[in-house]
């Protein structure tokens, strides 16, 4: 907690005793003798909102983070006044507010303290900026752990750390550096295996201290605005993260090709170079769906223009690439070159769309094009205009995705590397300075980009990727983690960052595979690809000034390893797409850190490296050079080694072999993993069968497969296919039942079944009570057969 700032005149101020309260339908407001108001809103039985106002009314209620589709409604609310406190109960929680000092305690209905104020709400007046520094401090419960917080490059459990949120272009950042590119003021607290979340929806610079300054205290504060936070009860982490993602929103499904492999570099130009790279992928048979154009495709870095020397006919090039299965993605930055002969600049000036300094002139700063002005994306009119600018790029030229960079916003050659504090923003009518708008600038740019790309890509699905983000940005765009470095430490960072983003509502994230700055060794590149294919977004990118970083830039062994792992990703596309569906539908993180997967097992609370890809595939990257394997923790349950098929009982650490062509991958027993054939790009082949790898289990397990056309919006009208498989294994039997939902007919007619780990010899196979002659089934080591896709029950009996 900051207590001795230079701004401090009076020190911390505190609420006095409660003298009044007012009840509304889903809210109660308390007033103290010194004019502090605390408003508690009961959004759901398990989701509460707390707002504090000092000396004056609450600010108009406005948030960029909260989704219009958030769920509201509670079943029960009971409010009681006691001698020294008020007590409010929902069907899941109880909140007590002390009459003496407004301090809170939040309990479950068994009386366990979930979260309790220490000093509680207090504030410091900021004479320099006006307004207050608003603060909160809470007791940390015994062995409490802390997770979440977006892109922080630190161990997953943040206990002992202090972190800050102020979107920053942090080239070649390092472990534990912060702030970085994204501002996600949301954390998950967990103690006694009970989880809850706190989302501090404040866009000023925010700070969180997790038992760093004081051993048993957690605090958070902001350099302005309101103390305004949401409390999301679990008790399980899936409920906490699901609740947070429900509040801040879920994305729509991306087109399936976006889940393929992407190749990028700063920069591929001219056209012949782009073609050469694309052709090489096809020659070497390394699957790839997307190729990127970084800033050099533009004319003098002017957004929405083309360098005609390098790219004389972009439309032709893009369509030729498309014939070969490549989707072209182009970068767009926020800085607009000050140039009276440039239509984008002129339109912005005519309509007064640029951000202004406090005294009136436009905000001027140097970025790639030289001196620029910057659109105020917090103005809805500017967003509409910006969306419209994509017409030519998307509708005419055929660009399939847009990459928004530098939107922290980043400015060169100035202290702080961003806009000065006095810059003015519209903030959707709630005019403010950059202190308040900074953290949402990138989000609002990506939002406007998403609107435009969506409009002009329709009836297909849009693709947008952003570097900067605030909570809720996942509704509009995917993201990457910015300018990392080709070092082993950064491979570790990549792993924790993507897991952390997944826990913070933003699953659709990846890292620059191989590292942006500097040059990876072939070994490091291979190890990074092996992790990267298990990230929701999978792209190789590099700065280009340290040599090439294509899969063939090292040696043949690395090329072969890269191909093998990218092929695995393409085989797993139906599995990956199903994970994405579960994310869009229920807010379930696509990667599950072990603590998320099994919070009851305290061994998981400090694990960083292992994670579950989807629901049933356990992955652990190799993070050190010259490894032949590593020690890792296998969570509870039995796990099949993906490479060898042998089973290991979890709940312990073990040594797993993983020479350079492998990383530890395990499949949960009972899982049914759907696979497509390897394709060079999504849609290359008509899928004529779905392979189901069925991992025997003595007991039950459920799996599902979501499919649709892989593009367009028909899935929203029910044209999808969701298959749920229930597996029941007995000593000499295996039964698989299928339940189907949705109106989409998959193009294939059959499943190819691979049975793995059957502990018995097959005596008979029945499909919907009809016996299949055994000679029709190829029985070799692993039983392997083809059956019609619409079966309801597959029954395998053993000898
Ligand atoms: O100041 O567009 O993070 O991915 O290649 C560098 C050039 C600007 C930073 C991005 C990086 C991109 C690069 N950009």
């Amino acid at each position: 907690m900051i207590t001795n700032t230079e701004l401090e005149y009076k020190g911390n101020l505190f609420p006095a005793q409660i003298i009044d309260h007012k009840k509304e339908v889903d809210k109660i407001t308390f007033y103290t003798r010194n004019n502090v108001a605390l408003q508690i809103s009961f959004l759901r039985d398990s989701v509460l909102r707390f707002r504090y106002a000092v000396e004056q009314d609450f600010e108009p209620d406005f948030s960029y983070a909260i989704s219009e589709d958030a769920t509201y409604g509670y079943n029960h609310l009971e409010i009681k006044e006691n001698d020294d406190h008020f007590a409010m109960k929902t069907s899941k929680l109880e909140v007590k507010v002390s009459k003496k000092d407004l301090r809170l305690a939040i309990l479950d209905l068994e009386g366990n303290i979930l979260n309790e104020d220490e000093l509680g709400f207090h504030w410091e007046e900021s004479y320099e900026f006006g307004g207050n520094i608003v603060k909160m401090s809470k007791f940390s419960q015994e062995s409490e752990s802390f997770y979440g917080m977006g892109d922080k490059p630190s161990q997953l459990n943040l206990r002992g750390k202090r972190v800050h949120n102020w979107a920053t272009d942090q080239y070649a950042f390092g472990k534990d550096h912060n702030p970085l590119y994204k501002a996600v003021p949301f954390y998950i607290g967990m103690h006694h295996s009970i989880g809850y979340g706190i989302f501090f929806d404040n866009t000023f610079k925010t700070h969180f201290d997790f038992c760093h300054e004081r051993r048993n205290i957690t605090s958070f504060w902001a350099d302005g605005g309101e103390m305004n936070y949401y409390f999301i009860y679990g008790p399980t982490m899936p409920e906490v993260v699901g609740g947070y993602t429900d509040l801040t929103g879920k994305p729509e499904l991306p087109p399936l090709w976006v889940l393929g492999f992407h190749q990028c570099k700063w920069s591929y130009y001219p056209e012949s170079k782009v073609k050469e790279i694309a052709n090489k992928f096809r020659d070497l048979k390394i699957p790839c769906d997307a190729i990127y154009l970084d800033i050099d495709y533009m004319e003098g870095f002017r957004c929405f223009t083309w360098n005609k020397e390098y790219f004389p006919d972009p439309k032709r090039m893009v369509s030729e690439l498309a014939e070969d299965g490549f989707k072209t993605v182009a970068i767009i930055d926020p800085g607009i070159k000050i140039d009276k002969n440039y239509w984008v600049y002129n339109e912005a000036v005519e309509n007064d769309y640029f951000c202004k300094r406090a005294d009136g002139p436009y905000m001027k700063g140097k970025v790639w094009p030289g001196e620029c002005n910057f659109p105020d994306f917090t103005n809805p009119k500017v967003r509409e205009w910006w969306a419209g600018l994509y017409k030519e790029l998307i509708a005419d030229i055929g660009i399939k995705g847009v990459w928004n960079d530098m939107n922290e916003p980043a400015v060169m050659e100035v202290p702080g590397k961003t806009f000065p504090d006095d810059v003015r923003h519209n903030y959707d009518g709630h005019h403010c300075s950059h202190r308040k708008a900074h953290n949402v600038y990138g989000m609002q740019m990506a939002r406007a980009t998403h609107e435009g790309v969506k409009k002009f890509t329709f009836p297909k699905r849009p693709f947008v990727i952003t570097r900067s983000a605030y909570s809720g940005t996942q509704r509009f765009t995917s993201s990457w983690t910015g300018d990392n470095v080709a070092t082993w430490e950064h491979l570790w960072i990549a792993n924790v960052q993507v897991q952390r983003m997944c826990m913070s509502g933003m699953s659709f994230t990846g890292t620059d595979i191989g590292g942006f700055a500097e040059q990876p060794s072939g070994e490091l590149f291979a190890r990074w690809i092996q992790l990267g294919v298990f990230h929701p977004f999978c792209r190789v990118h590099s700065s280009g000034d340290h040599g090439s970083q294509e899969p063939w830039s090292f040696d043949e062994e690395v090329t072969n390893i890269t191909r093998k792992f990218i092929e695995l990703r393409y085989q797993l596309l139906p599995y990956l797409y199903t994970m994405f569906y579960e994310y869009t539908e229920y807010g379930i993180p696509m990667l599950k850190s072990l603590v998320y997967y099994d919070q009851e097992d305290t061994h998981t609370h400090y694990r960083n490296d292992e994670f579950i890809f989807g629901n049933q595939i356990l992955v652990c990257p190799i993070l050190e050079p010259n490894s032949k394997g590593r020690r890792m923790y296998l969570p509870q349950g039995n796990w099949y080694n993906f490479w060898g098929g042998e089973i290991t009982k979890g709940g312990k650490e073990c040594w797993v072999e993983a020479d350079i062509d492998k990383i530890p991958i395990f499949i949960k027993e009972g899982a049914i993993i759907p696979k497509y054939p390897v394709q060079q790009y999504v849609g290359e082949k008509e899928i004529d069968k779905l392979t189901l790898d069925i991992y025997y289990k003595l007991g039950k397990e459920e799996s599902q497969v979501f499919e649709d056309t892989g593009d367009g919006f028909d899935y929203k009208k029910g044209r999808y296919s969701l298959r749920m498989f229930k597996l029941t294994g007995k000593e000499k039997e295996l039964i698989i039942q299928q339940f189907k939902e949705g109106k989409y007919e998959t193009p294939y007619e059959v499943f190819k079944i691979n049975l793995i780990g059957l502990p018995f010899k097959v005596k008979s196979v029945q499909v919907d009570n009809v016996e299949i002659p055994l000679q029709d089934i190829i029985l070799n080591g692993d039983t392997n057969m083809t059956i019609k896709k619409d079966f309801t029950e597959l029954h395998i009996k053993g000898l």
Side-chain angles (χ1 to χ4, degrees):
M1 185 73 47
I2 34 174
T3 46
N4 287 309
T5 70
E6 288 159 20
L7 311 175
E8 182 179 311
Y9 294 94
K10 296 183 187 167
N12 286 327
L13 300 167
F14 292 87
Q17 75 269 33
I18 296 178
I19 50 169
D20 195 7
H21 70 279
K22 188 173 89 197
K23 247 165 78 179
E24 289 157 90
V25 189
D26 57 350
K27 276 190 196 92
I28 180 162
T29 312
F30 299 98
Y31 302 92
T32 70
R33 178 168 302 287
N34 60 344
N35 289 320
V36 176
L38 159 62
Q39 185 180 76
I40 307 179
S41 310
F42 299 87
L43 307 180
R44 296 167 69 176
D45 290 291
S46 55
V47 181
L48 312 180
R49 179 180 178 197
F50 301 92
R51 294 177 78 187
Y52 296 83
V54 175
E55 283 171 6
Q56 46 196 335
D57 283 344
F58 291 100
E59 293 172 2
D61 196 9
F62 174 78
S63 166
Y64 282 120
I66 303 297
S67 160
E68 286 173 3
D69 301 323
T71 314
Y72 298 103
Y74 56 84
N75 296 312
H76 179 83
L77 179 60
E78 183 186 309
I79 301 179
K80 266 202 209 144
E81 183 168 356
N82 298 310
D83 287 350
D84 61 347
H85 70 276
F86 287 86
M88 289 140 284
K89 248 189 201 174
T90 71
S91 72
K92 299 238 167 103
L93 289 174
E94 179 168 18
V95 191
K96 293 180 179 170
V97 179
S98 158
K99 286 186 177 170
K100 183 173 78 182
D101 50 21
L102 212 57
R103 286 179 195 166
L104 298 172
I106 307 172
L107 305 92
D108 66 17
L109 295 188
E110 275 140 46
N112 299 311
I113 291 188
L114 301 172
N115 187 266
E116 188 184 5
D117 284 355
E118 183 230 3
L119 299 177
F121 171 64
H122 51 296
W123 72 98
E124 194 183 301
E125 293 183 341
S126 168
Y127 289 157
E128 186 183 347
F129 298 115
N132 300 313
I133 295 168
V134 292
K135 309 180 184 185
M136 173 61 66
S137 77
K138 294 180 174 283
F139 292 111
S140 306
Q141 305 299 310
E142 193 198 322
S143 31
E144 185 161 4
S145 297
F146 303 93
Y147 307 93
M149 303 295 300
D151 61 352
K152 304 287 177 268
S154 296
Q155 61 188 34
L156 290 180
N157 188 344
L158 290 168
R159 189 182 176 93
K161 308 270 179 203
R162 174 183 279 200
V163 297
H164 310 279
N165 294 310
W166 181 254
T168 303
D169 175 6
Q170 202 61 269
Y171 174 80
F173 57 92
K175 189 177 175 192
D176 287 327
H177 283 187
N178 81 91
L180 298 189
Y181 304 85
K182 300 176 182 72
V184 184
F186 162 67
Y187 73 88
I188 303 151
M190 194 162 60
H191 54 85
H192 306 93
S193 288
I194 303 174
Y196 67 88
I198 286 191
F199 171 41
F200 181 22
D201 188 9
N202 180 310
T203 63
F204 286 81
K205 188 184 281 178
T206 51
H207 316 264
F208 288 75
D209 186 298
F210 300 107
C211 310
H212 171 84
E213 184 180 307
R214 286 184 290 157
R215 197 160 49 87
N216 63 336
I217 303 299
T218 296
S219 54
F220 50 91
W221 64 103
D223 292 4
E226 257 183 24
M227 176 48 62
N228 165 34
Y229 74 91
Y230 295 78
F231 181 87
I232 304 154
Y233 177 51
T236 68
M237 250 168 100
E239 289 165 299
V240 177
V241 176
Y244 168 76
T245 313
D246 180 80
L247 263 183
T248 56
K250 292 166 276 202
E252 295 179 310
L253 279 173
L256 186 57
W257 66 262
V258 171
L259 299 183
F261 176 74
H262 302 224
Q263 180 70 36
C264 186
K265 180 186 167 170
W266 179 17
S267 270
Y268 289 134
Y269 70 89
E271 172 176 342
S272 56
K273 182 76 191 176
V274 179
K275 289 269 188 60
E276 179 194 318
I277 298 291
N279 290 337
K280 191 94 188 214
F281 271 96
R282 298 299 181 242
D283 288 349
L284 292 174
K285 295 221 169 327
I286 299 171
C288 183
D289 260 280
I291 192 149
Y292 282 60
L293 301 177
D294 205 327
I295 48 178
D296 300 282
Y297 80 88
M298 303 179 212
E299 178 60 51
F301 307 115
R302 288 171 189 81
C303 293
F304 307 103
T305 68
W306 288 81
N307 179 314
K308 290 286 164 141
E309 192 190 322
Y310 298 151
F311 298 98
D313 187 354
K315 186 172 175 167
R316 179 189 40 74
M317 176 187 77
V318 167
S319 84
E320 284 167 6
L321 285 166
E323 275 166 34
D324 213 5
F326 284 95
K327 276 60 77 175
T328 309
V329 179
I331 198 167
I332 289 287
D333 286 352
I336 298 300
K337 188 178 177 69
I338 299 177
D339 172 359
K340 298 227 157 74
N341 298 312
Y342 171 33
W343 60 285
V344 178
Y345 174 78
N346 290 335
E347 277 186 30
V349 170
E350 272 158 34
N351 295 291
D352 204 15
Y353 285 159
F354 288 130
C355 294
K356 286 183 183 146
R357 301 296 299 261
D359 297 328
Y362 286 141
M363 160 66 208
K364 192 196 275 183
K366 265 201 192 157
V367 243
W368 293 106
E371 285 191 336
C372 284
N373 295 139
F374 300 83
D376 182 9
F377 297 107
T378 70
N379 179 341
K381 283 204 191 108
V382 175
R383 288 198 298 270
E384 205 186 317
W385 166 72
W386 187 257
L389 294 177
Y390 286 102
K391 185 160 192 268
E392 190 192 7
L393 210 53
I394 308 288
D396 183 28
I397 296 174
I399 295 290
K400 287 287 180 297
V402 173
W403 172 22
N404 281 166
D405 185 22
M406 304 290 281
N407 53 353
E408 291 69 29
V411 183
M412 295 163 175
E413 297 171 28
V414 292
K417 298 199 300 188
T418 192
F419 296 179
D421 283 345
D422 69 277
V423 169
R424 307 291 300 158
H425 292 272
N426 179 287
Y427 212 92
D428 280 65
H430 310 276
H431 300 264
C432 68
S433 80
H434 195 64
R435 296 175 68 245
K436 180 171 174 174
H438 176 83
N439 280 336
V440 297
Y441 187 84
M443 174 196 199
Q444 295 312 306
M445 177 190 186
R447 174 185 177 183
T449 297
H450 171 256
E451 259 160 51
V453 179
K454 186 170 179 178
K455 181 169 169 198
F456 300 117
T457 308
F458 192 83
K460 304 255 191 216
R461 300 175 196 163
F463 171 61
V464 177
I465 178 163
T466 182
R467 192 168 71 175
S468 185
Y470 179 69
S471 292
T473 303
Q474 68 270 12
R475 303 199 295 277
F476 314 113
T477 169
S478 64
S479 73
W480 90 105
T481 56
D483 296 343
N484 58 5
V485 188
T487 62
W488 289 93
E489 182 176 79
H490 261 274
L491 182 55
W492 181 91
I493 293 176
N495 185 21
V496 294
Q497 280 190 305
V498 177
Q499 289 185 58
R500 187 189 294 296
M501 288 294 283
C502 284
M503 277 193 263
S504 307
M506 289 185 206
S507 281
F508 199 10
T509 302
T511 66
D512 286 353
I513 294 177
F516 178 75
E518 296 175 29
Q519 172 81 341
S521 64
E523 185 189 7
L524 175 58
F525 182 82
R527 291 309 196 186
W528 209 316
I529 276 280
Q530 291 170 335
L531 171 64
V533 298
F534 294 104
H535 282 166
F537 178 70
C538 179
R539 181 184 76 165
V540 166
H541 182 42
S542 71
S543 69
D545 14 287
H546 307 91
S548 332
Q549 214 155 294
E550 290 83 37
W552 50 86
S553 313
F554 306 92
D555 58 27
E556 212 181 314
E557 188 182 31
V558 174
T559 309
N560 292 338
I561 292 169
T562 305
R563 180 189 303 104
K564 169 174 158 182
F565 276 82
I566 295 179
E567 284 181 350
L568 177 59
R569 183 175 175 99
Y570 276 74
Q571 289 180 297
L572 289 173
L573 276 175
Y575 179 86
L576 182 54
Y577 198 51
T578 303
M579 281 156 63
F580 214 114
Y581 158 76
E582 291 174 352
Y583 169 47
T584 61
E585 197 62 18
Y586 309 107
I588 297 171
M590 292 174 69
L591 305 188
K592 297 164 182 78
S593 303
L594 289 198
V595 59
Y596 177 103
Y597 182 72
D598 188 359
Q599 71 190 46
E600 299 290 329
D601 175 3
T602 48
H603 288 108
T604 66
H605 293 196
Y606 271 97
R607 302 303 305 194
N608 293 304
D609 297 355
E610 309 85 350
F611 62 90
I612 313 279
F613 173 69
N615 298 318
Q616 294 159 323
I617 303 182
L618 170 65
V619 175
C620 185
I622 296 289
L623 301 171
E624 281 169 18
N626 302 314
S627 299
K628 299 278 180 207
R630 62 164 292 162
R631 291 194 71 77
M632 64 175 280
Y633 186 72
L634 281 187
Q636 305 279 346
N638 292 325
W639 299 88
Y640 284 87
N641 189 317
F642 174 75
W643 305 107
E646 68 280 6
I647 279 208
T648 312
K649 189 170 168 9
K652 59 170 192 270
E653 259 205 10
C654 54
W655 168 265
V656 182
E657 274 179 20
D659 212 334
I660 183 72
D661 61 342
K662 291 189 181 71
I663 56 166
I665 302 174
F666 290 86
I667 313 288
K668 193 180 179 192
E669 64 167 355
I672 298 183
I673 309 288
K675 283 183 176 165
Y676 284 162
V678 171
Q679 302 177 78
Q680 296 308 303
Y681 55 90
V682 167
E684 185 206 15
K685 293 182 181 157
E686 171 95 346
I687 309 294
D688 61 356
K689 55 178 159 310
L690 183 72
T691 300
L692 298 177
D693 287 351
I694 302 181
Y695 291 82
Y696 172 85
K697 173 186 186 178
L698 184 63
K700 291 179 192 287
E701 174 72 9
E702 289 180 18
S703 308
Q704 53 179 5
V705 188
F706 177 90
E707 292 167 288
D708 65 4
T709 52
D711 212 331
F713 295 92
D714 278 1
Y715 74 98
K716 296 200 162 181
K717 298 179 206 136
R719 260 166 250 132
Y720 61 86
S721 151
L722 181 62
R723 304 176 188 281
M724 281 159 282
F725 295 109
K726 281 194 181 158
L727 175 144
T728 310
K730 301 182 185 166
E731 246 154 63
K732 294 211 154 132
E733 260 178 278
L734 182 64
I735 301 163
I736 290 142
Q737 295 167 298
Q738 179 179 207
F739 303 85
K740 212 189 152 245
E741 193 186 293
K743 293 186 286 198
Y744 174 68
E745 267 300 322
T746 53
Y748 55 84
E749 291 301 327
V750 293
F751 296 132
K752 178 170 173 279
I753 304 276
N754 289 328
L755 294 169
I756 297 145
L758 267 199
F760 51 79
K761 276 211 159 132
V762 177
K763 186 175 82 186
S764 71
V765 176
Q766 285 181 0
V767 177
D768 297 337
N769 292 320
V770 178
E771 186 126 354
I772 305 191
L774 278 189
Q775 61 268 28
D776 290 1
I777 304 168
I778 313 149
L779 289 169
N780 50 17
D782 282 338
T783 310
N784 148 4
M785 58 180 141
T786 300
I787 63 170
K788 64 177 173 43
K789 69 174 176 184
D790 288 322
F791 80 85
T792 50
E793 187 170 302
L794 170 66
H795 202 142
I796 297 163
K797 289 186 185 153
L799 282 172

